[in-house]
Structures are given as structure tokens and as C-alpha cells.
Amino acid sequence: MSEEWSGHALNTLSRAGFRRGGARQAVIRALADHGCAVTVFDLEKDLRSRGTEVGRASIYRALDQLEKLDLVHRLEIDKQMASFERVEPDGEHHHHLVCDRCGRVAPFADPGLERAIGKACRDSDFEVQNHDVMLRGLCSNCA
Amino acid sequence: MSEEWSGHALNTLSRAGFRRGGARQAVIRALADHGCAVTVFDLEKDLRSRGTEVGRASIYRALDQLEKLDLVHRLEIDKQMASFERVEPDGEHHHHLVCDRCGRVAPFADPGLERAIGKACRDSDFEVQNHDVMLRGLCSNCA
DNA sequence: ATCTTTGCAAAATGTTTGCATTGGT
DNA sequence: ACCAATGCAAACATTTTGCAAAGAT
């Protein structure tokens, strides 16, 4: 779990004029425990299992605010439901391998890929702010 | 518009034991007109504007079948709604630049990026079947 | 004391399903 | 004639919104 990230998140929220409500802090604590993408459902389950009841609406609201402040990143990994993951303050990040059979999500990092993406961004006429790479197929168990 | 792709799609469907219903053919015709991702809404609008009324359920069913046969590719470009695009039989493909302000979607292709992705796939222990790269930011008009 | 945050319930939205009817082969 | 495909309406699932009550500063 990332103390560093939660501190950063709470500070950024304060600076943006938000108060430290219980629901928001609970969501941050739960996200800090996940190094990779979590669905809103799993997040809610986590919160419940640690004894923190948080209304679903508050979860969505917190995630929205965190996303706007670039503290979390939204991913559509599952067709059904949104997933979110922490954005590391130092810019470190990974991408995702998704198994279409069992749904397993595995993170991976690849410097060569990052370089190629950097070049593609520079070649484009967009001002690219972030990027996602998703590799889909079968995991080693399902293949 | 891609005659080649529609022919390929219709053949593949036949071979898979599907009949040539009117709705399905209309969806294929509409997809053939779009070289890049279209939302289900735009697809429905297109169908309506060319005088073909197709029930929304039939559109979703057709897209589902086409996706299972790997004739179209589903993308979550828009948070709200699914998008789809043709899969070219020759394997040619592109990726997407998405403007977070105005929603514009621009396709781009980059051989260096493809090579880096190919390597990442080989390095993984997944059997990767397809991949998506999405670059998000501001387009030249919005920046 | 003030203004934000929360939870609930209700609404909104996109997608899927059941079923009677139509249409393809 | 048979079985698949379609359209409609209803069901569903997720996400958003309105509002009164609770909480933070």
C-alpha cells in the first residue's frame, strides 16, 4: 500500500479546496492498496470488508474528483464497469495485459514501448496528456 | 467505403452459419463506410439517415456477432458508449488520438510503435490476440 | 456559522433479453 | 416447412442527480 500516494492525493485535494470527508478518505485508502486497476465493485467490496460503509454515489463522486486532479486514471478494462488506478506522482506507470477468458489483469512495463509512444506523441498534432496500451488475449492458465 | 470488407464480413457470417438478415446487412453496410471507430449512436443515426430503420437491439446483436467473428473491434473511446470499427482482413490497423475536450478521434499508424508492441507481446506470458493504444489529450483546435 | 460532503432514493443512460412475428433458405 | 433474425417492450446494470441530514473548517 502506498502511503506516498495517499499523502500526495490528500494534499492535492486540500490545495484544490476540498475538505477531508470520511468517504473520500476511505476511497483514497482503498485505492492506495491497489497497485493496479480496480473495478468500482471491488473497491466497494474492499471498503465494506474493512468495515467502512460508503455510499456508492460517494465512491463515484470521489473517483471523479480524483480523476479531474489527475490522481487516478480511469480505464475501461471490463466492458461492464469502469476501473481505476492510482497515478504515481513520479510519472512511473505500467500497461495492462487482459485475459479475455478469465478476466485476469496483469500489469507490465516496457521502456522500449514507452519510447515508441513518446515518439508517436511528438509526431502527432495533439497535445497528448496520457496514454494507454491494452494487450488482450489469453493468459497462461487459459491458453 | 470498403466493398472488400463487407464482402469478407458477409462471407464469414455465411460460413459461420448465419443468414443474411436485413438488419445485419444494413449494419455491415454502415460499418463499411467508416474507416475509423463509430459509436453505436452514430451508427444508428447513419442507418436512419439512409432510410433503413433498424431496431437498436438488432444493431447490438449484429455488432456482437461481428465482434465474435473478429470482423469488428470494440473500443471504449467514449466513457458513455461503446464504439466499433472494422477489422481489416489483411491485418492493417491504426490506433487513436482522442481529444478530451471536443471528443475528436483521429486515427494514426506508426510502424515503430507496432514493432515495440510486438516485442512486448512476445515478452509477455499471454497469448496476445489484439492490442489497442489510445493517446488522450487536446487536439490542435482545442489546445 | 457556513459551506461541503455524504447517503439515500430516484432518475437517467446504455445494453441485454424474452417473445411473438417476420423473413431467409 | 423450418429455423434464424428482427423489433418491440421490458428488464437490467451501471452511473448520475436531487435533496435533506451530517460533518468539516
Side-chain angles (χ1 to χ4, degrees):
Chain A
M1 107 123 174
S2 169
E3 306 277 0
E4 193 200 333
W5 179 81
S6 12
H8 171 62
L10 289 167
N11 284 342
T12 308
L13 281 165
S14 288
R15 254 180 282 121
F18 290 101
R19 294 180 181 174
R20 308 204 161 186
R24 204 133 59 197
Q25 289 194 72
V27 169
I28 289 174
R29 236 176 295 126
L31 282 166
D33 282 348
H34 292 272
C36 191
V38 221
T39 63
V40 175
F41 246 64
D42 288 343
L43 212 54
E44 192 178 10
K45 215 174 52 190
D46 277 20
L47 287 167
R48 200 182 311 268
S49 82
R50 72 175 76 191
T52 326
E53 289 285 335
V54 176
R56 196 166 300 160
S58 302
I59 298 180
Y60 280 108
R61 281 188 280 234
L63 290 169
D64 244 45
Q65 296 156 347
L66 292 168
E67 196 193 9
K68 283 198 184 102
L69 294 170
D70 206 39
L71 293 164
V72 303
H73 189 165
R74 181 198 199 96
L75 299 168
E76 313 294 334
I77 287 181
D78 187 350
K79 183 171 102 156
Q80 307 286 320
M81 209 170 355
S83 300
F84 291 83
E85 74 184 1
R86 310 187 321 237
V87 171
E88 300 302 334
D90 63 7
E92 195 183 318
H93 67 280
H94 59 252
H95 295 292
H96 301 90
L97 284 151
V98 181
C99 180
D100 282 331
R101 174 90 64 80
C102 71
R104 187 153 78 88
V105 178
F108 75 95
D110 184 321
L113 181 54
E114 294 306 324
R115 274 193 298 276
I117 289 169
K119 183 170 180 313
C121 294
R122 286 190 300 279
D123 288 351
S124 80
D125 64 343
F126 274 52
E127 203 175 276
V128 178
Q129 284 155 352
N130 67 59
H131 61 260
D132 266 312
V133 178
M134 205 118 85
L135 308 183
R136 291 184 176 274
L138 299 174
C139 73
S140 43
N141 293 331
C142 293
Chain B
M1 109 126 173
S2 171
E3 307 277 0
E4 192 198 334
W5 178 81
S6 8
H8 171 61
L10 289 167
N11 284 340
T12 308
L13 282 164
S14 287
R15 253 179 283 123
F18 290 102
R19 295 180 181 173
R20 308 205 161 186
R24 205 133 59 196
Q25 291 195 72
V27 169
I28 289 174
R29 236 176 294 126
L31 281 166
D33 281 349
H34 292 272
C36 190
V38 221
T39 62
V40 176
F41 247 62
D42 288 344
L43 212 54
E44 193 180 9
K45 216 173 50 188
D46 278 20
L47 288 166
R48 201 182 309 269
S49 81
R50 71 175 76 192
T52 326
E53 288 285 334
V54 176
R56 195 166 301 163
S58 302
I59 298 180
Y60 280 108
R61 281 188 280 235
L63 290 169
D64 245 43
Q65 296 156 346
L66 292 168
E67 195 192 10
K68 282 198 183 104
L69 294 169
D70 206 39
L71 294 164
V72 302
H73 188 166
R74 181 200 198 95
L75 300 167
E76 313 293 334
I77 287 181
D78 188 351
K79 182 171 104 159
Q80 308 287 319
M81 210 173 351
S83 300
F84 290 84
E85 73 183 2
R86 311 187 320 237
V87 172
E88 301 302 334
D90 63 7
E92 196 186 315
H93 67 280
H94 59 253
H95 295 293
H96 301 90
L97 285 151
V98 181
C99 179
D100 283 331
R101 173 90 63 83
C102 71
R104 187 153 79 88
V105 178
F108 75 95
D110 184 321
L113 181 53
E114 294 306 323
R115 273 192 298 276
I117 290 169
K119 183 169 182 315
C121 293
R122 286 189 301 278
D123 288 351
S124 79
D125 64 343
F126 274 51
E127 201 175 276
V128 177
Q129 284 155 351
N130 67 57
H131 61 260
D132 266 313
V133 178
M134 203 118 86
L135 309 183
R136 290 184 176 274
L138 299 174
C139 73
S140 44
N141 293 332
C142 293

